[in-house]
Amino acid sequence: MAKAQYEIETLQHCIFWAKYDHGTKSCLPLVLHSLDVAMVFRALTELPGIRRALDVSSERPLNPTILDRLAFLVMLHDIGKANLGFQRKPWTGEKVGHIRELAPLFTTHELHQQFIQHMPEEMSHWFSSGEVAYSYFMAVFSHHGTPLRFEDETTGVSLRAPRYWNPEGSWDPFQGIAEVVSAGQEMFPCAFRSLREDDQLPESAPFQHRFAGLTMLADWIGSNPDWFPIRRMSVEERHKQNQKIIPEILRVIGLDVRHLTPLVKGLQSFEKAFALKPRPLQKALEDLPPDDASRLLIVESDTGSGKTEAALHWFLRLFSEGKVDSLYFALPTRVAAHEIYRRVHDTVCRWFPSPERRPLVILAVPGYPSMAPEERALPSSSKAQLSPDDEAIVWRERVWAEEHPKRFLAAPIAVGTVDQAILSTIQTAHAHLRSSLLDRSLLVVDEVHASDRYMSVLLKHLVEHHLSVGGYVLLMSATLGSRTRHLLVPKLPRKTLEEAIQSPYPAYTLGSGRMVGAHLADMRSKTVQFELHPWAENPRPAVEVVKEAVEEGARVLVIFNTVARSVHFFRMLEENHVPFLFTCRGIATPHHGRYAPETRLLLDREVTRSMGKESPCGPCILVGTQTLEQSLDIDADLMITDLAPADVLLQRIGRLHRHDRNRPPRYEKPRCLVLIPKDPLESALDDKGDVLSKYKKMGLGSVYEDLRVLELTIRTLKSQPRVQIPKDNRFLVESTTHEEALASLDSPRWTQHGRRVDGAELAKAIAAGMVTIPYDQYFGAFSFQDQAERVMTRLGVRALRLRMQQPFQGPFGETVREMIIPGHMAPRERVEEMAFLEQREDFALLQAGERRYRYSRLGLAAEGEEDGDEDSQSFG
């Protein structure tokens, strides 16, 4: 048979297809794929957490008629594939999509009239206005992750697309649409029985955004060929098959957890859940009823006081009562997420001893393996046969911070980074999918700090959005400044500096503005002696302090604000032959965020083994960055730290005398040495209030932008160097961040700097507001510009995740298969892989695009730069 004749007959056999397998030359008819996705969607609407979000956002309970109408609309999600350009694509190779190609059906009069004529007449009663109808169609057609807007289309696609909708011989694209419509009428008859105005689809714009997210989710699930095979059958057969398999699929993924909630009914009390007597804060939360008043909770308690267990117990109670279907535990960093994940996983295993009847616990951090099989979460892009028409989307998915969690969040319990949750409210691809998955969850955000306005505003948007669909939010912090607390809970009355200092601690704050304190007298306390030393520019004297300490048997933790400073100090210790440096597999190394995932896992485990709760006694020196101040279970006898805001210092000293253990003589009491500049901090400012560059290299004015907070931290610690934790936590934070305290710095330079910072914070607040999704606007009525790269860069967490073309041996003998490159070090051009060039004496030479890198025990560094010297603004 001639090739052309074969292709014509194959096309005749497949038209109209939705999925095509090039290997077997088999196809899945468009009508069957449409049914698959619509039935998945309809099943999703019956899940408690999703249904709650739909009901709340629609402002009325939804009945079966409305839900079936929504499912019918979902049947139409892929009708763009009926265009003949797309249908011929396997044989012509022409790059024709099915999303932008829908534009002529709405912008060309003749084609629009044909499209309307092929819709069921009853649909005219479904919508309260043409604007609402258009919004629903745009929402369902936006299932590839980016909201559509067809008005004023002048792209090359829009100019070519009309001809794809014209019939050719016996092939009429509108016949493909008619087949889908007819099947939808047959499969969802309830949608067409009522003409009542009460059964119209909700006008609410937020509801339509929820609808769009669920359509994306349904398409992701319904596109998996393992679950929905690519083969021809009748609509009736497919419907019958789907009725059997879809409920099981939703249970396997972890979206349907109704069978699990009865298993934890007997663990309502904290003592039963953890086999421990609750601490004061844990007891206070145990007595709190889970109702509308407690849907927003801010929990403030000292590091190591059991906030994590309190949060898990709060989730357990909400889960057992059916108020949430899932948990997303958000941490500020990947290493913090990894450490908490292990604790969460172990706890869930105790609650659900049978592996066959246990909710999936996912680590939503690329590069860090979960303790559960990944394949039980949503399928990957390739497995789901999702092929975005926009190649830029494929590239953006190479950025680690934008990839996996959009499918991992389907798990009943996921632990990841806070930026992944924030991306559910940012104008970025698949934000609606993330949001629809988060809707089901108790959202826990740990280690919320008052230091960054941009993050605070984005977090506020996230919290408000989650609460708007009836969700539950729990925010945790060692101590949250009253400014940030008021930003997150506007109903809180503003307090003077003295009133703020006197606020109860530890405490929890309800969304209503009520603050409830726990019993401080019952809490473990420690008194820390702060010593301020003018060694920030030249930390050489600190080398002698460290050397003396380890010679006396002490364990020393040294934390710097930047990777460059930590590496520099580590080298100083080596050059001065200071013994007992932390080692990994016998090799001395610092600890920061610029390591490959495989290396980082190894380092984290070794840190816990060397300086964790169960570690043996004996001297050790651990040098690093902010990676050491969060979540890692480290217990040091002595701490040396760069100057940082008081709330950050509180976080750091949480690793100082963390556990009860024997200490060397002279180190029985906790001491923290803070490295400050030798000159008054005001001299770091020019006449315009800008920070001089040499101070920014120390992280002063860069990592921590507001020098006023740092100056007040110095003054506060000078006036009260002995600090009792947690009794003085409020005093430290409010004395350095409260408006009254900031206003006390009234010299010309401080005033100018304050104006700069306040102006920058206002600009950040405005910028944060501009990148969020306008959930109150209809689809088609707003422009959507992908803001993920801008947001991730501003948050300092953007990084490029590349697989290695050839795995190589890392500095500690581990096999490195992928590398994470910080955004500011990434190549300018787009690359898919990183090349291993050669192994030299003490480092591996790598290349990505036009840039070369050295990878050693000191981490990743760009060639030509000193290890770690590239970023004065990196959070490590």
Side-chain angles (χ1 to χ4, degrees):
M1 182 184 295
K3 181 174 184 289
Q5 181 65 27
Y6 172 78
E7 290 176 348
I8 292 174
E9 291 189 7
T10 303
L11 177 59
Q12 184 71 52
H13 172 73
C14 279
I15 201 166
F16 291 90
W17 62 271
K19 304 288 180 183
Y20 183 80
D21 189 322
H22 288 272
T24 64
K25 306 296 183 184
S26 58
C27 62
L28 177 66
L30 175 60
V31 65
L32 297 188
H33 172 65
S34 301
L35 180 64
D36 293 342
V37 176
M39 291 185 70
V40 170
F41 173 89
R42 186 63 179 85
L44 289 171
T45 64
E46 297 296 340
L47 303 181
I50 289 174
R51 184 62 164 273
R52 181 250 304 152
L54 290 174
D55 286 348
V56 172
S57 60
S58 68
E59 301 175 356
R60 58 177 165 133
L62 302 179
N63 59 39
T65 297
I66 293 175
L67 295 174
D68 274 12
R69 288 177 175 179
L70 294 172
F72 176 82
L73 285 175
V74 174
M75 282 281 294
L76 307 178
H77 79 284
D78 256 356
I79 58 172
K81 290 181 176 178
N83 82 77
L84 296 184
F86 182 90
Q87 288 294 306
R88 292 192 300 254
K89 184 164 62 171
W91 299 273
T92 65
E94 188 178 0
K95 292 184 177 180
V96 182
H98 64 283
I99 302 297
R100 308 306 308 183
E101 286 75 8
L102 281 162
L105 302 187
F106 294 86
T107 59
T108 302
H109 178 73
E110 181 181 345
L111 292 175
H112 183 61
Q113 289 303 309
Q114 282 187 266
F115 175 69
I116 294 299
Q117 290 169 8
H118 280 82
M119 293 298 105
E121 183 179 350
E122 297 90 336
M123 287 183 70
S124 62
H125 299 281
W126 291 12
F127 311 101
S128 59
S129 68
E131 181 185 25
V132 172
Y134 183 75
S135 179
Y136 272 103
F137 277 105
M138 291 301 100
V140 81
F141 293 151
S142 299
H143 61 277
H144 272 193
T146 303
L148 295 177
R149 187 180 185 184
F150 286 153
E151 295 178 7
D152 304 320
E153 279 279 314
T154 58
T155 63
V157 171
S158 67
L159 297 176
R160 294 192 304 270
R163 71 172 184 263
Y164 299 143
W165 293 100
N166 295 324
E168 292 185 9
S170 61
W171 299 335
D172 182 353
F174 282 96
Q175 181 58 36
I177 294 177
E179 290 177 10
V180 174
V181 169
S182 176
Q185 289 175 297
E186 181 181 352
M187 295 296 106
F188 300 101
C190 183
F192 301 92
R193 290 174 183 161
S194 171
L195 300 180
R196 297 189 316 143
E197 188 173 319
D198 288 347
D199 290 330
Q200 286 184 339
L201 296 181
E203 295 182 356
S204 163
F207 174 82
Q208 292 167 34
H209 285 268
R210 305 263 66 66
F211 169 62
L214 285 179
T215 303
M216 296 176 196
L217 176 58
D219 185 47
W220 202 291
I221 297 170
S223 296
N224 184 349
D226 288 344
W227 296 333
F228 301 93
I230 297 178
R231 63 169 179 261
R232 302 179 67 87
M233 61 178 67
S234 70
V235 171
E236 292 75 15
E237 288 175 321
R238 194 72 166 198
H239 183 268
K240 187 176 181 180
Q241 173 183 288
N242 287 349
Q243 283 182 317
K244 292 180 179 179
I245 65 172
I246 289 176
E248 179 60 24
I249 289 170
L250 298 186
R251 282 194 294 270
V252 167
I253 292 172
L255 292 170
D256 187 355
V257 295
R258 288 173 289 187
H259 61 295
L260 297 174
T261 55
L263 303 180
V264 290
K265 288 291 186 181
L267 300 177
Q268 289 285 352
S269 74
F270 186 93
E271 192 162 354
K272 288 183 178 180
F274 292 95
L276 296 169
K277 295 191 68 172
R279 298 178 185 179
L281 178 72
Q282 296 164 344
K283 179 60 179 173
L285 286 178
E286 183 180 27
D287 295 336
L288 183 67
D291 53 25
D292 284 346
S294 59
R295 286 200 298 113
L296 171 59
L297 278 174
I298 297 179
V299 174
E300 297 172 88
S301 188
D302 190 33
T303 300
S305 61
K307 292 191 296 292
T308 298
E309 286 72 24
L312 291 175
H313 188 239
W314 183 241
F315 163 69
L316 183 66
R317 293 175 63 198
L318 296 174
F319 183 78
S320 65
E321 295 184 24
K323 294 183 179 295
V324 299
D325 287 354
S326 60
L327 167 69
Y328 186 68
F329 206 121
L331 284 301
T333 65
R334 287 174 291 138
V335 64
H338 180 255
E339 288 301 308
I340 291 297
Y341 166 73
R342 297 178 68 88
R343 293 167 62 184
V344 172
H345 179 270
D346 292 346
T347 299
V348 172
C349 287
R350 290 195 302 271
W351 289 345
F352 299 87
S354 172
E356 292 76 24
R357 306 183 71 189
R358 178 185 301 159
L360 185 65
V361 185
I362 284 290
L363 176 59
V365 178
Y368 283 75
S370 292
M371 295 177 183
E374 177 184 358
E375 59 269 22
R376 288 179 60 195
L378 288 180
S380 65
S381 300
S382 58
K383 193 66 173 177
Q385 292 212 340
L386 301 178
S387 52
D389 299 332
D390 185 357
E391 292 183 1
I393 293 178
V394 178
W395 164 251
R396 284 195 296 270
E397 290 189 353
R398 298 300 304 160
V399 178
W400 71 266
E402 299 177 40
E403 168 48 51
H404 294 267
K406 66 172 171 271
R407 55 191 173 94
F408 281 169
L409 293 178
I413 300 171
V415 182
T417 51
V418 66
D419 46 275
Q420 301 302 335
I422 285 175
L423 284 176
S424 68
T425 63
I426 300 299
Q427 294 184 42
T428 182
H430 294 102
H432 290 81
L433 171 59
R434 282 188 173 93
S435 182
S436 66
L437 292 170
L438 271 177
D439 286 348
R440 312 148 46 240
S441 302
L442 165 63
L443 173 62
V444 176
V445 183
D446 196 6
E447 299 179 11
V448 178
H449 292 310
S451 303
D452 185 85
R453 186 70 170 181
Y454 190 72
M455 173 64 89
S456 296
V457 173
L458 291 179
L459 181 60
K460 175 182 172 64
H461 279 287
L462 172 64
V463 169
E464 290 178 345
H465 176 66
H466 197 66
L467 293 174
S468 72
V469 294
Y472 282 79
V473 179
L474 175 61
L475 308 177
M476 301 193 295
S477 176
T479 303
L480 200 61
S482 57
R483 283 201 307 167
T484 302
R485 199 182 317 112
H486 187 270
L487 174 72
L488 296 169
V489 186
K491 293 182 180 179
L492 272 174
R494 291 194 177 274
K495 295 183 177 181
T496 66
L497 174 57
E498 186 58 34
E499 290 172 340
I501 292 173
Q502 296 303 321
S503 297
Y505 185 87
Y508 65 81
T509 303
L510 299 167
S512 62
R514 185 167 69 96
M515 181 178 283
V516 180
H519 298 291
L520 183 62
D522 298 332
M523 294 194 66
R524 182 177 182 272
S525 66
K526 64 184 176 186
T527 299
V528 179
Q529 179 72 40
F530 281 94
E531 302 174 15
L532 306 183
H533 295 280
W535 303 339
E537 289 91 340
N538 181 12
R540 187 165 297 276
V543 173
E544 295 304 317
V545 174
V546 172
K547 185 176 182 180
E548 180 182 356
V550 293
E551 287 175 349
E552 295 177 345
R555 307 192 324 174
V556 185
L557 181 61
V558 187
I559 300 179
F560 288 95
N561 292 338
T562 70
V563 175
R565 285 175 64 79
S566 68
V567 171
H568 177 66
F569 187 76
F570 177 82
R571 282 175 159 169
M572 290 176 67
L573 293 173
E574 285 196 315
E575 291 166 1
N576 285 271
H577 307 290
V578 179
F580 303 112
L581 287 171
F582 165 76
T583 63
C584 181
R585 292 183 173 176
I587 299 172
T589 179
H591 187 284
H592 52 74
R594 208 174 298 165
Y595 289 97
E598 296 90 349
T599 310
R600 186 61 178 273
L601 279 172
L602 191 61
L603 285 173
D604 293 347
R605 284 197 297 265
E606 196 61 26
V607 164
T608 301
R609 192 194 68 80
S610 299
M611 296 190 72
K613 184 176 182 179
E614 305 300 328
S615 62
C617 295
C620 182
I621 307 166
L622 180 58
V623 180
T625 61
Q626 290 89 332
T627 56
L628 298 174
E629 75 188 33
Q630 298 167 333
S631 297
L632 283 175
D633 186 10
I634 301 169
D635 188 321
D637 301 316
L638 174 69
M639 175 174 289
I640 300 175
T641 172
D642 262 341
L643 175 63
D647 62 324
V648 177
L649 289 180
L650 282 173
Q651 191 72 25
R652 292 182 183 180
I653 63 174
R655 274 68 198 158
L656 181 61
H657 284 230
R658 184 177 180 88
H659 303 298
D660 293 324
R661 59 188 300 151
N662 293 326
R663 309 285 172 184
R666 297 206 315 125
Y667 298 92
E668 296 95 338
K669 295 180 180 180
R671 291 168 53 219
C672 179
L673 280 61
V674 182
L675 309 186
I676 65 174
K678 63 179 184 299
D679 298 322
L681 205 53
E682 187 174 0
S683 63
L685 303 172
D686 62 19
D687 292 338
K688 295 180 180 180
D690 291 326
V691 182
L692 302 178
S693 61
K694 78 170 188 176
Y695 291 90
K696 289 185 176 181
K697 289 181 179 179
M698 305 177 205
L700 313 180
S702 53
V703 175
Y704 305 111
E705 297 179 5
D706 194 343
L707 253 63
R708 298 174 301 171
V709 175
L710 297 172
E711 171 67 15
L712 290 169
T713 298
I714 291 175
R715 295 186 183 188
T716 301
L717 293 179
K718 281 184 176 180
S719 67
Q720 185 173 322
R722 289 174 60 84
V723 176
Q724 188 175 342
I725 306 298
K727 178 176 175 292
D728 292 330
N729 284 24
R730 286 256 189 257
F731 166 75
L732 275 179
V733 173
E734 298 298 346
S735 297
T736 57
T737 62
H738 195 279
E739 289 89 341
E740 290 180 29
L742 296 172
S744 68
L745 301 176
D746 55 4
S747 71
R749 284 188 179 182
W750 283 123
T751 300
Q752 283 292 99
H753 181 64
R755 288 172 180 166
R756 292 272 183 178
V757 171
D758 291 343
E761 288 199 345
L762 177 60
K764 286 180 179 180
I766 294 172
M770 291 179 67
V771 300
T772 56
I773 297 173
Y775 279 108
D776 59 344
Q777 296 183 34
Y778 288 141
F779 277 76
F782 61 88
S783 297
F784 188 95
Q785 302 293 328
D786 198 307
Q787 303 286 341
E789 184 169 347
R790 178 189 301 180
V791 172
M792 304 312 291
T793 300
R794 293 195 70 159
L795 292 178
V797 294
R798 184 182 182 274
L800 184 65
R801 181 172 179 241
L802 297 176
R803 64 180 176 272
M804 298 300 306
Q805 288 180 354
Q806 172 189 344
F808 69 98
Q809 183 173 298
F812 310 106
E814 74 284 9
T815 300
V816 177
R817 293 182 173 85
E818 57 186 0
M819 189 65 66
I820 296 176
I821 307 175
H824 68 280
M825 291 173 59
R828 290 187 296 272
E829 62 191 78
R830 293 181 176 182
V831 294
E832 296 294 325
E833 295 180 319
M834 195 172 199
F836 168 73
L837 301 181
E838 61 177 304
Q839 182 69 53
R840 298 190 179 176
E841 184 178 353
D842 57 354
F843 66 87
L845 185 62
L846 313 175
Q847 183 164 353
E850 81 286 357
R851 301 199 70 173
R852 288 191 172 193
Y853 305 86
R854 287 177 291 123
Y855 190 61
S856 70
R857 65 193 177 99
L858 301 178
L860 184 72
E863 192 177 41
E865 301 283 347
E866 289 296 314
D867 297 86
D869 277 354
E870 288 200 15
D871 62 326
S872 62
Q873 300 185 20
S874 170
F875 279 71

